[in-house]
Amino acid sequence: MSIAASPSAPSFSASFCHTRTKSPSSFTRFPSISSHSRLTKPQPLTRRLTLSARLNSVSPDNGDLQGELFHGFSPQRRGRGSPVFVTMPVDSVDPLGQVRRRKTMSQSFKALVAAGVEGVVMEVWWGIVERDQPTLYNWQGYLGIVEMARRCGLKVRAVLAFHQCGTGPGDPHWIPLPLWVLDEIDKNPDLVYSDRFGRRNMEYISLGCDSLPVLQGRSPLQAYADFMRSFRDTFKHLIGVIIIGIQIGMGPAGELRYPSCPTQKLTSAWRSRELGEFQCYDKYMLASLNARAREIGMPEWGNGGPVGASNLMQNPEETEFFRSDDGSWNTSYGTFFLEWYSGMLLLHGERLCREAEAIFWGTKANTSAKVAGFHWHYCTQSHPSELTAGYYNTSTRDGYLPIARMFARYGFSLCCPCFDLQDLDEKQMNPVSSPEGFLRQLLSAARVCDIPVEGETSAMSLDDKSFQQVVKMSKYYSYGLEKPSFSFNFVRMDKNMFELHNWIRFTRFVRQMSDVNIFRAKLDVDAMADSRRFSTSISDVAKFGMASAYC
């Protein structure tokens, strides 16, 4: 088959037909794992999707390609398939609460439906919704997105994001905490985390003041709970029907962890050198540490974080606290500090789980929370980058099982990244890294506690190698389970996703995940990847025009 470009400018026209044969009264993804289940069995849903396209820059002999790319099919999964969701762009809603690029987003949603995607992940930012005044909420933009998803036939997972996004006002993805919260932080800088150098991290309010009335008479926990209640009341007619999942943000990047390393650093290759810094130097965390040390009769242990946990060397074997043989992490003092530090994080997660369970009880939506994938010192004895993030996970202790047990108590699913990462690649940058080892341990904890898992990519990878790694790790979790409860969030939607080559790979992956028993790859990706078949570039000729403007 050959494809030749015509001199005329490329265009794309698409028509979608979406027929629902039965409208479900309720829809849930996973069965509850707690005895007090609030979930019900999903009603059958059948959808017929047809997409027709014309690329006037492609010669008429491309019929086979069109037949395979735009084949009408039913995405209803059978057997043991896993649904795929796609995370929306960070700036889908502007700072004033208005939907951006509404027409383009609608077209993109239709393309996702045609590919067999189950739904979208919508980050709901505290800094946008409650931007100007306490308890003054603006849900307009998010209502618009959910309605758009409903019309297109997509489900929605809402992430209640109580953290900052981006690095500062110059960042195109900059979303700070609410302005009135920033005013309170200006008055009292100890509301945010601090390391031993006095550096403040503005990504998330310190959990040390969770229950204190430091936000104009409310505690941070009360502010989060009020936000959740307002969300529930505003979207009550959609929760459990269109909004089938609600993820509760619990820290920086929405993850249950301390900001031991600034989030922007975690996106760079240099993350593999970061040991991280203990975040226990704001006055509220220090007060808790001091009180705990006095309780056990060791007041000298309550004045700050561990001595000799320097991140400056960026080599754990050259630090007094983290080194393998005689590091103080493995002493009575190390055990005391790490139990307190990780215990405070668990307590924070427990408080949020308890609030969310009470607020969303009976809504038939699945609740979830996310943990971070700090795998870059996984093959050492002390696991320093995990310890500073709040995960007391070492060669002698399982730090993820307590988290999984906590989520199980409240019927939460576990969301985790790293599904696309391979040891072979990561070890080239850092020999002691092991994303696969980390993920296997975390998934084993989820299996032991019988909790559903939501997998995620750590980066926007659109190559077959990354997609097949996701399939491999999802099977590791699901293997042998009678009712595997696994789904996947692809992070995230942008214009590159809709490039023809990338779109082919992504569509293959979605269909493979959706029903692994009946999936048959119909697209010869390797052949399509050969640019010699095209007389001009893919990006010029065969983008999915309905979404290629997404940027």
Side-chain angles (χ1 to χ4, degrees):
M1 178 182 67
S2 63
I3 300 179
S6 74
S8 60
S11 68
F12 183 91
S13 62
S15 64
F16 294 80
C17 176
H18 178 195
T19 303
R20 189 182 300 272
T21 60
K22 184 171 182 179
S23 178
S25 58
S26 64
F27 188 96
T28 55
R29 176 57 42 208
F30 299 125
S32 173
I33 50 76
S34 62
S35 58
H36 44 270
S37 172
R38 63 175 177 274
L39 305 183
T40 59
K41 184 177 180 181
Q43 299 296 316
L45 179 67
T46 302
R47 290 179 288 182
R48 179 176 62 83
L49 301 170
T50 305
L51 172 65
S52 62
R54 176 177 60 85
L55 288 169
N56 69 4
S57 58
V58 181
S59 63
D61 64 352
N62 71 339
D64 293 339
L65 172 63
Q66 289 192 24
E68 292 178 348
L69 278 180
F70 309 124
H71 176 65
F73 68 100
S74 171
Q76 182 180 15
R77 287 176 306 282
R78 298 185 294 275
R80 305 167 72 87
S82 301
V84 175
F85 292 74
V86 175
T87 305
M88 296 176 59
V90 170
D91 63 347
S92 298
V93 174
D94 69 23
L96 298 180
Q98 302 297 315
V99 178
R100 292 182 189 265
R101 302 179 298 269
R102 184 181 291 270
K103 183 177 180 180
T104 303
M105 187 182 297
S106 177
Q107 297 281 30
S108 300
F109 280 9
K110 292 173 183 176
L112 295 180
V113 171
V117 168
E118 180 73 12
V120 292
V121 179
M122 176 183 73
E123 291 157 321
V124 182
W125 295 96
W126 187 28
I128 291 178
V129 175
E130 199 179 353
R131 179 175 182 261
D132 297 312
Q133 297 179 37
T135 69
L136 181 63
Y137 306 103
N138 176 10
W139 300 105
Q140 183 178 353
Y142 298 106
L143 281 165
I145 289 175
V146 175
E147 175 59 23
M148 194 182 303
R150 184 194 66 79
R151 290 199 306 266
C152 293
L154 290 171
K155 302 301 180 184
V156 174
R157 278 181 172 163
V159 177
L160 306 188
F162 299 113
H163 61 282
Q164 166 189 295
C165 179
T167 57
D171 190 326
H173 297 149
W174 170 242
I175 304 174
L177 299 179
L179 300 182
W180 61 272
V181 173
L182 296 180
D183 289 341
E184 297 304 309
I185 294 172
D186 286 341
K187 299 173 191 174
N188 180 7
D190 282 294
L191 294 182
V192 295
Y193 292 107
S194 176
D195 64 16
R196 63 199 172 96
F197 298 110
R199 296 177 297 195
R200 305 283 180 181
N201 186 293
M202 301 285 288
E203 295 181 60
Y204 191 78
I205 296 176
S206 169
L207 61 81
C209 59
D210 263 355
S211 302
L212 302 176
V214 294
L215 298 179
Q216 298 190 21
R218 291 188 299 168
S219 70
L221 198 65
Q222 288 173 325
Y224 303 148
D226 288 343
F227 186 92
M228 287 188 268
R229 285 190 198 92
S230 181
F231 176 84
R232 177 201 63 193
D233 295 343
T234 302
F235 293 88
K236 60 185 177 182
H237 60 297
L238 297 163
I239 296 177
V241 182
I242 303 301
I243 301 174
I244 61 170
I246 301 170
Q247 186 180 122
I248 311 301
M250 294 188 173
E255 299 165 338
L256 179 62
R257 65 171 173 89
Y258 294 102
S260 53
C261 181
T263 298
Q264 62 267 24
K265 275 191 173 185
L266 301 180
T267 61
S268 71
W270 290 100
R271 72 180 188 275
S272 62
R273 298 177 179 269
E274 290 289 338
L275 306 182
E277 292 285 350
F278 289 108
Q279 303 292 309
C280 58
Y281 291 87
D282 65 79
K283 69 181 181 182
Y284 302 106
M285 292 292 286
L286 283 175
S288 173
L289 176 59
N290 187 265
R292 180 59 184 146
R294 291 182 180 278
E295 282 179 12
I296 66 167
M298 300 294 290
E300 64 274 19
W301 287 357
N303 297 322
V307 175
S310 174
N311 190 29
L312 300 178
M313 294 289 188
Q314 296 184 326
N315 182 352
E317 298 307 320
E318 296 179 12
T319 66
E320 181 182 335
F321 188 77
F322 295 123
R323 62 189 178 214
S324 298
D325 294 337
D326 57 350
S328 52
W329 64 274
N330 203 23
T331 63
S332 297
Y333 164 73
T335 300
F336 157 79
F337 176 81
L338 294 171
E339 284 183 347
W340 167 80
Y341 190 67
S342 63
M344 288 288 284
L345 187 67
L346 275 172
L347 180 59
H348 176 66
E350 182 112 22
R351 287 166 171 164
L352 281 168
C353 284
R354 188 183 302 121
E355 291 288 346
E357 181 192 44
I359 292 167
F360 295 111
W361 178 267
T363 62
K364 302 176 184 177
N366 177 65
T367 49
S368 65
K370 186 178 179 182
V371 298
F374 283 20
H375 54 79
W376 30 98
H377 296 102
Y378 188 82
C379 294
T380 66
Q381 303 239 6
S382 62
H383 296 224
S385 49
E386 292 166 79
L387 297 185
T388 56
Y391 305 135
Y392 190 2
N393 189 59
T394 67
S395 59
T396 59
R397 189 181 189 277
D398 189 335
Y400 297 110
L401 192 56
I403 296 174
R405 285 173 177 157
M406 175 186 69
F407 289 160
R409 284 196 297 273
Y410 295 95
F412 269 55
S413 298
L414 171 66
C415 180
C416 52
C418 298
F419 273 78
D420 56 324
L421 301 182
Q422 297 188 37
D423 282 2
L424 184 63
D425 296 331
E426 293 294 319
K427 285 181 180 294
Q428 293 178 8
M429 293 185 291
N430 182 3
V432 296
S433 174
S434 179
E436 293 183 53
F438 151 77
L439 192 53
R440 286 191 185 97
Q441 182 182 349
L442 191 60
L443 295 180
S444 295
R447 285 175 61 103
V448 166
C449 297
D450 192 25
I451 58 177
V453 168
E454 299 172 10
E456 279 194 2
T457 47
S458 293
M460 186 172 170
S461 304
L462 287 159
D463 57 279
D464 285 322
K465 181 180 177 183
S466 297
F467 285 142
Q468 290 311 304
Q469 181 69 9
V470 172
V471 174
K472 170 186 170 183
M473 296 310 296
S474 68
K475 288 180 179 178
Y476 177 86
Y477 168 77
S478 300
Y479 181 77
L481 295 180
E482 290 186 7
K483 296 181 179 179
S485 299
F486 180 82
S487 58
F488 186 74
N489 301 333
F490 178 79
V491 182
R492 75 181 58 237
M493 182 169 71
D494 74 353
K495 62 181 181 180
N496 293 325
M497 179 180 177
F498 296 97
E499 295 275 352
L500 180 59
H501 285 176
N502 292 335
W503 188 248
I504 292 172
R505 296 186 188 102
F506 178 73
T507 302
R508 278 189 72 197
F509 165 73
V510 171
R511 296 186 184 185
Q512 186 173 7
M513 291 293 290
S514 295
D515 199 328
V516 294
N517 289 335
I518 66 168
F519 173 75
R520 296 292 183 271
K522 294 183 178 181
L523 302 179
D524 187 352
V525 175
D526 291 335
M528 288 300 303
D530 187 351
S531 61
R532 289 175 299 180
R533 291 183 179 270
F534 298 86
S535 61
T536 186
S537 70
I538 290 293
S539 59
D540 289 336
V541 177
K543 284 182 181 178
F544 281 95
M546 57 195 168
S548 63
Y550 226 121
C551 57

